[in-house]
Amino acid sequence: MHRRTALSVSAALLVAAPLLSACSGEPRPGTAAVVGGERITTSALQAQVNDVRAAQNRSGQAAAELIASTPHLERVKLDAILQSRIIDKMADTAGLTATQKDIEDEHQRYVDENGGNAQFEALLLQKGATAPGQVDRFLRDRVLLTKLTAKYGAGKLEEPARAAVKALHIEVNPRYGAWDAKEIKLGGGETPWITQRTRPEQAPAGA
């Protein structure tokens, strides 16, 4: 099975504008992060977390294991949101878009490779803490990364990523961790578009 190569990116983080903080220096209430001057609210983040927990709870006997494997789900989901915003900025700068047909085609490839839609969604929930309602965003990221790699070359996304991070001025509420300037990720979280293969590995037959 063909798999696209994982990416390796590092960048320096410039000092962000103090959009998260009120005059007291405490994080602005209700703000999980600020990206490109736009707030990611704690309520929006919690909605994503709740969707994942609900999907995990519907997983029958696997539910307890799935929940136990994601103890820092808020941080994982916020990191995923930040990575998506970086990908969007890189694509916008490069003049690239993901059409609905692109996303549908990408979805069909995943479904074909994983033995059906239910199996694909179950694997994505297990490997990426991604609920069924979040699959389209995952697919959009994969499409854009493929197009970015085609434009710049495999392993050559470092400079576009640096430029995107610089332009976005990412600031994170310390409640959710610290933004890692070197790795371009939320400290302690996962960065699927950097550290994982574009397509999740299939479970062994009979598993």
Side-chain angles (χ1 to χ4, degrees):
M1 180 178 66
H2 174 70
R3 298 177 188 273
R4 273 162 274 185
T5 305
L7 308 177
S8 176
V9 179
S10 63
L13 179 65
L14 298 184
V15 176
L19 297 175
L20 269 176
S21 300
C23 295
S24 64
E26 293 299 316
R28 180 184 296 176
T31 300
V34 176
V35 185
E38 180 182 349
R39 293 172 65 227
I40 298 171
T41 65
T42 55
S43 59
L45 172 60
Q46 191 60 48
Q48 290 209 16
V49 171
N50 291 344
D51 286 346
V52 173
R53 288 298 187 217
Q56 291 174 331
N57 278 310
R58 292 193 298 267
S59 299
Q61 293 182 345
E65 182 179 350
L66 287 173
I67 292 170
S69 70
T70 52
H72 306 294
L73 188 55
E74 286 185 336
R75 185 166 60 197
V76 170
K77 296 312 296 181
L78 180 56
D79 187 62
I81 294 171
L82 297 177
Q83 300 304 323
S84 291
R85 298 294 179 88
I86 293 169
I87 292 169
D88 282 344
K89 182 63 177 177
M90 292 168 67
D92 183 63
T93 300
L96 302 173
T97 59
T99 67
Q100 187 59 37
K101 185 177 186 306
D102 290 334
I103 294 172
E104 291 172 356
D105 289 347
E106 188 78 351
H107 182 256
Q108 191 59 52
R109 283 191 286 272
Y110 273 105
V111 168
D112 291 344
E113 290 181 1
N114 289 284
N117 189 59
Q119 291 87 335
F120 164 54
E121 289 187 350
L123 187 62
L124 197 54
L125 180 64
Q126 177 189 2
K127 299 291 187 181
T130 299
Q134 299 164 4
V135 170
D136 277 0
R137 178 69 249 196
F138 168 85
L139 294 170
R140 176 181 169 82
D141 287 350
R142 301 315 105 184
V143 169
L144 291 176
L145 283 170
T146 298
K147 291 187 176 186
L148 285 163
T149 299
K151 180 178 179 67
Y152 294 110
K156 296 183 179 179
L157 296 186
E158 181 174 343
E159 289 307 313
R162 286 176 182 271
V165 170
K166 178 180 178 180
L168 291 172
H169 300 292
I170 296 170
E171 189 179 5
V172 174
N173 188 326
R175 166 184 173 184
Y176 301 103
W179 180 249
D180 189 317
K182 182 178 180 181
E183 299 295 334
I184 310 184
K185 70 177 184 179
L186 193 55
E190 295 292 338
T191 47
W193 68 286
I194 295 174
T195 61
Q196 298 178 6
R197 295 181 185 277
T198 301
R199 301 191 187 281
E201 294 183 3
Q202 291 176 295

